[in-house]
Amino acid sequence: MPTSDAPLALGIIGAGIMGERLLGAIHGAADSPVRVAAIWDPSPEALDRVGAAFPAVPRVADSAAVVAASDCVYVASPPASHLGYARAALAAGRSVFCEKPLATDRADARAFVAGRPTPPAGSTRAARAASPARWSRTSCSWPAASSVRSRGSPDGSPSRSRAGPSARST
């Protein structure tokens, strides 16, 4: 999280169902520690649909503009494009929250995690991006995810999430 009291500037790449769900969760929480800085999708129809539902969310011309406007980038595009967008965001010193799967090829995912670019030394973003705790088996973590989970769904109903591998019985 940023060191100030300012909300985390989140950029969203992908205006499909997952991008829309996150927008709904953020806009459904009055005290959200996150603000949507920008959203982009290569489909003009998808951007128009999101713009109609969330008119206050800035729609930008390309993924580079999302990265430039954000502290953290949520990659909610089709899986084959995840690594490219994640690499660009990390190279720019941004934190990344990536939908699963991280990649469509296990070897590509492992190589990415092993050799991901890091931001310039000394920056606040460098500490967040370089932290090993920010990576899980399939995605990077979002700093405010636990607060969104604890509040439940935007409509007030309890969250319904799948248990992770450690919660399954053997």
Side-chain angles (χ1 to χ4, degrees), residues 11-162:
I12 300 174
I13 296 175
I17 190 151
M18 297 310 292
E20 234 178 313
R21 283 182 181 173
L22 184 61
L23 278 172
I26 292 169
H27 285 285
D31 62 341
S32 179
V34 178
R35 71 172 176 81
V36 179
I39 188 167
W40 172 79
D41 192 288
S43 166
E45 294 81 15
L47 274 180
D48 289 344
R49 185 186 68 251
V50 167
F54 302 96
V57 173
R59 292 173 284 158
V60 295
D62 55 31
S63 62
V66 171
V67 171
S70 309
D71 295 318
C72 178
V73 176
Y74 173 50
V75 180
S77 59
S81 63
H82 286 177
L83 286 182
Y85 294 133
R87 278 187 186 105
L90 289 170
R94 303 317 190 251
S95 295
V96 172
F97 174 44
C98 186
E99 273 302 324
K100 64 184 189 309
L102 177 59
T104 55
D105 179 86
R106 182 181 294 175
D108 288 346
R110 288 179 189 263
F112 172 77
V113 170
R116 68 187 189 274
T118 55
S123 73
T124 304
R125 290 183 180 130
R128 292 194 314 262
S131 168
R134 302 198 54 81
W135 292 88
S136 69
R137 291 179 67 206
T138 58
S139 67
C140 307
S141 65
W142 173 39
S146 61
S147 68
V148 171
R149 268 197 312 273
S150 69
R151 285 194 294 266
S153 300
D155 65 359
S157 63
S159 291
R160 291 182 178 89
S161 61
R162 245 180 14 189

